[in-house]
Amino acid sequence: MAAFHFELVSPEQILFSGDVESVVVPGSEGQMTILKDHAPVMTMLQPGVVEVEESAAKRQRLFVRGGFADVAPTGLTILAELALPIEQLDAAAIAREIKNAEEDVADAADGEARRMAGLKLDQLRQLKEALGI
Amino acid sequence: MPSLKDLRNRIASVKATQKITKAMQMVAAAKLRRAQSAAEAARPYAQRMSSVLSNVAGGVATGSGPALLSGTGRSDVHLLVVCTGERGLCGAFNTSIVRLAREHIQSLMGQGKTVKIICVGKKGYDQLRRQYEKQIVELVDLRSVRNIGFANADGIGKKIISMFEAGEFDVCTLYFSRFRSVIAQIPTALQLVPAQIPTNDNAAAGPQASYEAEPGQEEILATLLPRNISVQVFTALLENMASFYGSQMSAMDNATRNAGDMIRKQTTLYNRSRQAMITKELIEIISGAEAL
């Protein structure tokens, strides 16, 4: 399979930069797999797991929360608010995320903000179950 | 003519000062390295951010779009976010940022505009308070923060946005010091609201019109623009941190060298007056012996 350039950056550092074969992105409208020569698209992210496949043998999973994925002709760039390798994500970390999200729901000023925060909370809970931790 | 004891005390005290400045210089050098790598690590995100932003905003007609992008259409109330250090002993670092901000404040006030100030860092607050006490709306204290994280910048960013949404200002400018090298820090003013979108330099690479956006361009811009402000603040804080330590390092280097000069001068003076004293005593003894 043909390779394309992929970068995952968080405000503090670059987590991944290199050529990959496919990337699964947790987009706001659902999961999507990006392959080479994907049409240019720009999507917001929901909290979830980015699966990077450098080759059939080499896969990597990273947790991301908040941010954007930008598919350009030159490659894919993910700007994440928070990103860390899945191995570093433990029960305590995800519990903290869920607690933050719950506070967001409580603090939300209007209906729209509360709906968005509630959506994020649901996504985090689903993720927790999916990962089995 | 100071007595020998005075001179000895003076030399001892300058030596003690030199030890302190030397230690501070070394600490600043170590912290500078950390601050510099943090600033460099944050650069790619800011770069990608601005290129994504220019991609998305390129599709929006000028004058339309969210208010954060196009502004309120007025420029009556200016908000100045002045980022300085929390500590002194760093040469002209704080003063040069404050000077730049003060020049702008004066010219804005001369045009009859309203000015509001948010101070990030205690030193800038101390200097601005004397003249513009009434204009300062807030002081953000980062003294207790060891390593500046994105969360700190996000807090400031959110504050700016909530003020903007409440209609408390029209134009927001950020003042900080860009880190060029250890000896060169450039005080910079950066306009945050309305957002300055870098012109897309790869426009020649192909039409951008086919860009698809999920959920929609408006929604993306609505989250992208506040995020961009936080990112700019974050970059500014990191650059400021590196500049601060760079400035402190060279200031302390100067101070150590000056202390060395002072010690040398005082030691010469001490030796000279000691010799003069001995000579005087000898003359007294000899002339006393001759008189007998």
Side-chain angles (χ1 to χ4, degrees):
Chain A
M1 259 201 311
F4 65 101
H5 194 68
F6 168 60
E7 270 177 357
L8 176 59
V9 277
S10 75
E12 276 95 8
Q13 57 176 326
I14 298 187
L15 275 111
F16 189 96
S17 176
D19 289 337
V20 294
E21 290 191 341
S22 80
V23 181
V24 179
V25 178
S28 60
E29 313 277 281
Q31 298 258 329
M32 55 185 199
T33 305
I34 312 285
L35 297 171
K36 189 177 160 47
D37 294 331
H38 193 288
V41 68
M42 165 96 203
T43 178
M44 278 161 39
L45 298 181
Q46 61 177 36
V49 176
V50 173
E51 284 178 47
V52 186
E53 189 177 322
E54 284 175 76
S55 63
K58 207 171 166 199
R59 285 154 193 273
Q60 207 178 335
R61 279 151 62 89
L62 300 114
F63 172 75
V64 293
R65 169 170 63 77
F68 308 88
D70 177 28
V71 185
T74 46
L76 168 65
T77 310
I78 293 184
L79 297 168
E81 195 177 322
L82 180 114
L84 63 162
I86 204 96
E87 296 80 34
Q88 284 173 26
L89 185 76
D90 50 19
I94 199 148
R96 201 164 51 233
E97 290 289 327
I98 287 179
K99 191 163 167 292
N100 274 342
E102 278 167 353
E103 281 167 7
D104 283 351
V105 175
D107 294 347
D110 54 57
E112 176 64 15
R114 191 170 310 124
R115 196 183 63 80
M116 293 297 287
L119 197 65
K120 195 174 143 193
L121 180 61
D122 288 344
Q123 287 160 351
L124 277 168
R125 286 202 175 123
Q126 279 168 20
L127 179 73
K128 187 183 174 194
E129 274 173 31
L131 292 171
I133 49 176
Chain B
M1 185 77 192
S3 73
L4 283 182
K5 190 162 187 307
D6 286 344
L7 281 172
R8 257 199 312 269
N9 284 344
R10 203 178 291 167
I11 292 169
S13 105
V14 177
K15 268 188 182 153
T17 311
Q18 191 189 32
K19 268 185 199 135
I20 294 170
T21 56
K22 190 151 201 182
M24 278 182 84
Q25 185 208 337
M26 289 197 283
V27 171
K31 286 192 173 164
L32 169 67
R33 216 166 303 138
R34 253 216 326 255
Q36 209 177 338
S37 59
E40 270 157 20
R43 249 172 230 164
Y45 189 83
Q47 274 168 10
R48 300 299 175 336
M49 191 78 182
S50 69
S51 77
V52 167
L53 196 59
S54 65
N55 271 347
V56 179
V60 179
T62 19
S64 69
L68 278 176
L69 181 64
S70 55
T72 54
R74 293 188 305 270
S75 63
D76 299 334
V77 186
H78 285 250
L79 177 72
L80 278 68
V81 184
V82 184
C83 304
T84 52
E86 294 290 354
R87 264 173 268 254
L89 292 177
C90 51
F93 171 74
N94 290 319
T95 322
S96 57
I97 299 173
V98 169
R99 191 189 303 130
L100 180 73
R102 193 178 284 147
E103 278 165 13
H104 285 216
I105 294 171
Q106 260 152 8
S107 80
L108 285 171
M109 284 179 142
Q111 292 164 33
K113 316 229 169 183
T114 316
V115 174
K116 291 181 181 177
I117 306 169
I118 293 183
C119 288
V120 182
K122 191 171 151 294
K123 283 289 156 185
Y125 174 70
D126 287 346
Q127 291 189 16
L128 284 170
R129 191 177 47 179
R130 266 172 251 147
Q131 255 178 300
Y132 305 109
E133 174 113 53
K134 281 193 215 88
Q135 277 81 10
I136 295 175
V137 287
E138 187 139 4
L139 163 68
V140 181
D141 198 331
L142 295 176
R143 231 176 325 168
S144 50
V145 182
R146 223 151 231 286
N147 285 316
I148 290 178
F150 188 65
N152 302 115
D154 211 28
I156 300 171
K158 289 222 170 80
K159 205 165 288 164
I160 297 173
I161 290 154
S162 67
M163 279 181 77
F164 183 72
E165 278 165 354
E168 288 179 38
F169 67 88
D170 301 312
V171 179
C172 175
T173 318
L174 183 68
Y175 291 87
F176 65 102
S177 192
R178 205 177 278 284
F179 181 79
R180 178 65 59 82
S181 72
V182 179
I183 44 164
Q185 297 92 26
I186 307 141
T188 317
L190 183 75
Q191 188 178 315
L192 287 181
V193 182
Q196 283 183 319
I197 305 299
T199 43
N200 207 343
D201 47 353
N202 57 12
Q208 301 278 326
S210 59
Y211 234 88
E212 266 180 59
E214 284 178 24
Q217 207 155 35
E218 296 285 303
E219 285 91 334
I220 288 186
L221 263 183
T223 35
L224 196 57
L225 287 166
R227 179 68 54 77
N228 183 45
I229 288 179
S230 298
V231 169
Q232 301 280 15
V233 174
F234 183 56
T235 330
L237 288 181
L238 289 176
E239 292 266 338
N240 229 10
M241 205 53 149
S243 303
F244 172 78
Y245 285 124
S247 189
Q248 183 171 55
M249 200 179 110
S250 48
M252 286 302 121
D253 186 39
N254 267 341
T256 311
R257 212 165 316 138
N258 285 346
D261 284 350
M262 177 98 90
I263 290 170
R264 216 167 308 128
K265 245 180 244 160
Q266 296 287 339
T267 315
T268 321
L269 194 60
Y270 172 75
N271 285 338
R272 234 178 244 155
S273 44
R274 193 173 52 90
Q275 280 165 350
M277 199 105 88
I278 294 167
T279 318
K280 204 177 87 193
E281 272 172 21
L282 279 177
I283 290 171
E284 275 166 11
I285 293 166
I286 292 164
S287 48
E290 268 176 3
L292 284 174

